[in-house]
Amino acid sequence: MTTDNSFQVSVLGLGAMGGALAGALLKAGNGTTVWNRSPEKAEDLAAQGAEAAATAGDAVRAGRLVIVCLLDHASVREVLEPLTGDLAGRTLVNVTTTTPAQAREMADWAARAGIAYLDGGIMAVPQMIGHPGASVLYSGSADAFDRYRSLLELWGAATYFGEDPGLASLYDLALLAGMYVMFAGFMHGAAMVAPAGMTARRFAAMAAPWLTAMTGALDGLAAVVDGGDYTVEGQQSLEFSGLGDLLDASADQGISTEVVAMVQRLIRRQIDAGHGEEGFSRIIESIRQPV
Ligand code: NDP
């Protein structure tokens, strides 16, 4: 630690995200050592005052706190495993996107090696790091989170979910599931209106406020799921949500019906099981029980 509020930290991986993370640490006055497989990506940060390490080992040895932000789990293992001895006694924060199982595997390896391990899931794009709206989910070592919380908050809101190192990744990927399916739904709509002469950008201007308004329904849908009673009054029923018109109109526009047909299949399984008059939230039962 160099002052009360700053740390000596090393960042491995200076891709779009790792570079943004390192930049935020540096800007806040932390002594920052950086390393990247392709060394030219360290040049900008070095010009701003970072120490560019020649090897990943040199970077690890320079900081008590080591941040790793590489492409994937395989690249993290490839870089870190030869450095197990150097990492012993240090704190490792892995914000590389991995599965929960991979996060737990890293935590097991770290525990055997005497490394304090915190896993992170970044809910932001690089341009958002250090700005409002950025959020990073953490799980794993509570001590590591508490000790470095002020530093982690330089990137965005930092939320800790518990000692199970897989939880941050689980929540990260669950949120991404919602995002990707929403984006696919938007693309479906854009493809539908294109033959009528509407550009995707004009459609986006219509879709953004609509989808934003619809997120207001999430809490109500979730309350029904948590309550476990899909018959409560006031819900849109599964039969009402058949999506037949939507599929027919899509086919009439000459586009694929895959995106909407996927949702219709989830609805159909519940209707076929005799639940047609129950609420739309019930499609979660189709998702919970894979066919
Ligand atoms: P980039 O593709 O920009 O960078 C990938 C980084 O991984 C580079 O530093 C690259 O080094 C390094 N790398 C890849 N393979 C190896 C290897 N075998 N050995 C050593 N280094 C390797 O990706 P991002 O920076 O955007 O993403 C990094 C992580 O952050 C990913 O897990 C991603 O899912 C996550 N993330 C990214 C977000 C984003 O919007 N970008 C959002 C949320 C999470 P080199 O430069 O030499 O190729």
Side-chain angles (χ1 to χ4, degrees):
M1 210 182 287
T2 51
T3 72
D4 281 352
N5 296 312
S6 67
F7 298 92
Q8 185 61 43
V9 55
S10 298
V11 180
L12 309 184
L14 305 173
M17 185 54 83
L21 301 177
L25 300 180
L26 200 54
K27 197 172 146 198
N30 296 284
T32 308
T33 300
V34 293
W35 172 84
N36 195 66
R37 178 180 62 179
S38 313
E40 64 276 7
K41 287 191 187 156
E43 286 169 9
D44 273 358
L45 289 159
Q48 293 165 50
E51 190 68 39
T55 67
D58 289 345
V60 166
R61 288 184 289 275
R64 299 305 303 162
L65 171 63
V66 178
I67 313 289
V68 62
C69 185
L70 297 175
L71 183 65
D72 57 11
H73 180 63
S75 52
V76 171
R77 289 195 59 161
E78 186 186 321
V79 170
L80 295 188
E81 274 182 5
L83 302 173
T84 305
D86 292 307
L87 282 161
R90 292 183 157 80
T91 297
L92 178 64
V93 178
N94 182 12
V95 288
T96 307
T97 304
T98 66
T99 67
Q102 290 167 339
R104 291 178 189 123
E105 183 194 313
M106 285 301 298
D108 287 346
W109 161 80
R112 287 194 301 276
I115 304 162
Y117 184 81
L118 188 64
D119 204 87
I122 303 174
M123 309 313 302
V125 294
Q127 298 79 352
M128 289 166 69
I129 295 299
H131 298 288
S135 151
V136 187
L137 318 180
Y138 295 97
S139 63
S141 166
D143 286 347
F145 182 77
D146 289 343
R147 181 171 316 154
Y148 293 111
R149 183 176 194 146
S150 63
L151 177 140
L152 301 175
E153 284 174 340
L154 294 171
W155 296 332
T159 312
Y160 177 74
F161 288 97
E163 294 274 351
D164 174 353
L167 285 180
S169 159
L170 181 68
Y171 298 156
D172 175 355
L173 296 176
L175 289 167
L176 289 181
M179 182 195 79
Y180 277 114
V181 179
M182 181 188 73
F183 283 172
F186 166 73
M187 292 301 173
H188 181 93
M192 260 180 106
V193 296
M198 182 176 273
T199 63
R201 287 194 77 182
R202 274 175 54 218
F203 183 64
M206 292 168 67
W210 163 247
L211 293 174
T212 303
M214 285 301 96
T215 61
L218 292 178
D219 189 59
L221 292 167
V224 174
V225 170
D226 289 343
D229 178 6
Y230 302 105
T231 67
V232 288
E233 301 269 310
Q235 301 181 76
Q236 180 172 315
S237 74
L238 286 162
E239 263 153 9
F240 184 85
S241 326
L243 307 189
D245 289 348
L246 219 167
L247 278 157
D248 290 346
S250 301
D252 289 346
Q253 293 298 86
I255 67 163
S256 163
T257 54
E258 287 165 282
V259 174
V260 181
M262 177 272 287
V263 183
Q264 193 188 44
R265 278 197 300 277
L266 300 175
I267 294 169
R268 176 57 51 195
R269 278 169 54 202
Q270 294 306 311
I271 294 176
D272 290 349
H275 303 293
E277 289 178 7
E278 297 179 29
F280 181 82
S281 310
R282 199 179 171 103
I283 68 164
I284 197 170
E285 297 299 335
S286 299
I287 298 165
R288 281 172 168 162
Q289 293 150 25
V291 277

